[in-house]
Amino acid sequence: MYLKNNGIPLLSKLGISIANNKYLLFALFWLLVISLYAPAYRGGFYEDFCEFAEKYRKIPFSDFLNLTPSSLYQGVNLFHYVFLHLFGLSPLPWFLLFTFLHAWNGILVFCFFSRLFIRLGVDRGRFIALAGVFVWLLSPVVCEVVVWKATSHYLTSTALIFAILNLLFAWLDNNKPGYLAGMWLLYALSTVFLELFYLTPVFVLCILVALYAAKSIHKKEMVRSLTRVFIPLIIIWCAYYFTFTFVTNKATARADFDIRQLFLPEFVLGKFTGYTLYILGMEFMLPHDFRKAIHRFADHTWTHIFVGCVLAGILLSGIIRFRHGTAGMRALFTLFVLTGVSCVIILPMWFYDTFPYQGSRYYYLPGIFFYMLFVFFIVKIFSAKAPGFYIVLLYAIACTAVTSILTRNVRGASAVFYGILKNFRWQDEEKVFLLNLPTLQNGVGVIGAGEPSNFAYHFHIFCNDTLRARVYDVSSYNMTGMWDGAHVTVMDSVTLKVTPNQYGSWWWYEGFGASDYENEEYRVSFTDNGFSYILQFKKRLSPGSVVLYQVGEGWKEVNMNLLHQEQW
């Protein structure tokens, strides 16, 4: 439906009216995020977060602040300490906090792009910014960050980056010293959260250059901005880097971050293609074989050449035509450059190509620019015509549907997680052997097998009970359905055969695909092409020993006297 006076869709006018009230807009953002993630409200208390929970109970505050000696993450550690102190392990307050932070980032992102588009003279810029933010807020690539309680630093670091960028525009508009000091202080604070802060000065420089080339700021303002904003940020950046290398004796915070890879064109082009397909194409929802084919395509030499030519053509054309181009063209090219910059930190990082839920935290920040670029391009390519808005709306619905699938998977994994802890009643036995811990449920982490026992570790953290038994995690597996499990055949007094109840599973140990191993109590040998395994105890089990296998949310005890019969 259109308004005859200016041809702007009624939906656009409604969006602008909502956008004019920041409090109403934030409430809408938060309500949408809460509604979408409500099924997953109990999720996210696993893996790295457990270390925070354990250390909070065991070590003093000063040691907790320096929990990660390989990184200067004091801000991250302080965040977790405060909220563990306030909330403990209660799921609801953590859920409300993380959804609040995600919605708050949505407001910051909307304000930034609104100001950028207005400065660049974009028609309907506020509505485009609002549409882009809605797509990002509801997109599946943010799911891991909103759910997993160990990823608060992605939320807080993104908030700090966009707070600084909004202060930049406020300072350009009003030239008040308070905005300038605020940028310096927030940037200094961001250095103790996550290495995403490396990108902030680059974002600032790109924005200033774009505004200057678009004649939104004159030469004097440009020079003043460089000397009072960009250079101070670089000085803080250098101070951090020298402090970091002195304290940690390392050049980079993460072992898998190799800066040299950024100078390999085939590596960069392959990763950028993969990220585009992952973020915008949601290829992680396709069957595994299709995903492998897509990854091979992204890594093919001719794909690199084609993508390289396209990107080089866009970059060269944008630089040449920027000053004399339309407002839409200038904004589109600026978004293109900012999108590329947002990928610099994640390019050398590990690309998770197996499970749809894991690893998407890396795309939380880049996803903002990818989705905004996509929405801007679609809306502008159709000019003022309705199809552009309908395409964006349909895409937002598709993103919401995929995110809903992921949140339901988190709900299922959470039910299994709390179920196997709650239904464990063998605390006082001498030895307990767990045959099939669930590592993952539809790609969402539960509790994997390890040595020392990963189950015992989680039991100590999440259950207010004493575990006296010596627990052995024999192996773990990949769940797909809520009631997946295994069945057991007692072959003789010291030998068991363990087989999953469903196909599509595989065995894990210590975070990797399981292989034969042994310890002081037993030997494990995989058979039937790895589908089953043989557990052979080195001596007959003592009366205080229990062998358990998991089905769904509970445990069943193996009857060692029931020979040659499957126990389900």
Side-chain angles (χ1 to χ4, degrees), residues 131-386:
V133 170
F134 265 114
V135 173
W136 173 72
L137 278 174
L138 304 175
S139 68
V141 300
V142 308
C143 185
E144 185 180 41
V145 171
V146 177
V147 170
W148 191 17
K149 304 309 181 287
T151 54
S152 62
H153 47 333
Y154 286 87
L155 292 162
T156 50
S157 295
T158 301
L160 289 168
I161 288 173
F162 280 93
I164 292 168
L165 296 181
N166 278 296
L167 284 174
L168 172 65
F169 281 110
W171 180 73
L172 290 173
D173 291 337
N174 298 296
N175 196 26
K176 292 183 178 179
Y179 295 134
L180 203 60
M183 282 186 277
W184 299 344
L185 290 173
L186 287 180
Y187 188 62
L189 178 63
S190 70
T191 61
V192 293
F193 278 89
L194 187 63
E195 289 79 9
L196 293 176
F197 76 87
Y198 287 139
L199 299 177
T200 307
V202 188
F203 285 142
V204 168
L205 181 61
C206 292
I207 292 165
L208 291 175
V209 170
L211 295 179
Y212 176 70
K215 300 180 182 180
S216 179
I217 59 175
H218 51 70
K219 184 176 180 180
K220 185 177 179 181
E221 287 179 304
M222 179 68 175
V223 173
R224 185 181 62 190
S225 299
L226 290 175
T227 55
R228 299 186 183 182
V229 180
F230 178 71
I231 292 178
L233 296 187
I234 291 297
I235 292 173
I236 296 172
W237 189 98
C238 293
Y240 166 85
Y241 187 77
F242 287 123
T243 302
F244 173 80
T245 54
F246 176 77
V247 172
T248 66
N249 199 28
K250 293 171 55 180
T252 58
R254 298 177 182 272
D256 54 352
F257 189 103
D258 187 353
I259 196 68
R260 294 171 297 180
Q261 293 175 316
L262 295 177
F263 299 96
L264 301 175
E266 66 276 10
F267 175 84
V268 172
L269 293 171
K271 278 295 191 72
F272 189 81
T273 304
Y275 293 155
T276 303
L277 294 170
Y278 187 100
I279 295 171
L280 295 180
M282 295 182 282
E283 52 84 10
F284 49 82
M285 296 302 294
L286 296 173
H288 187 67
D289 291 342
F290 283 93
R291 297 194 67 202
K292 286 297 184 183
I294 290 174
H295 297 155
R296 287 194 298 269
F297 168 79
D299 289 332
H300 197 279
T301 301
W302 285 108
T303 304
H304 296 165
I305 294 173
F306 175 77
V307 172
C309 290
V310 170
L311 294 180
I314 295 173
L315 189 63
L316 184 61
S317 175
I319 292 173
I320 294 173
R321 299 178 54 198
F322 191 91
R323 185 173 287 272
H324 304 290
T326 64
M329 175 266 165
R330 290 195 294 262
L332 196 61
F333 182 71
T334 302
L335 285 173
F336 170 77
V337 173
L338 293 175
T339 301
V341 170
S342 71
C343 293
V344 171
I345 295 296
I346 66 169
L347 280 172
M349 303 298 285
W350 179 258
F351 185 81
Y352 288 77
D353 61 354
T354 305
F355 302 111
Y357 175 81
Q358 290 188 330
S360 63
R361 61 190 179 276
Y362 294 146
Y363 318 119
Y364 186 78
L365 176 64
I368 295 170
F369 298 96
F370 271 95
Y371 290 119
M372 193 62 66
L373 177 62
F374 171 77
V375 169
F376 193 100
F377 177 77
I378 293 296
V379 171
K380 285 300 180 180
I381 201 174
F382 288 99
S383 187
K385 299 177 181 178

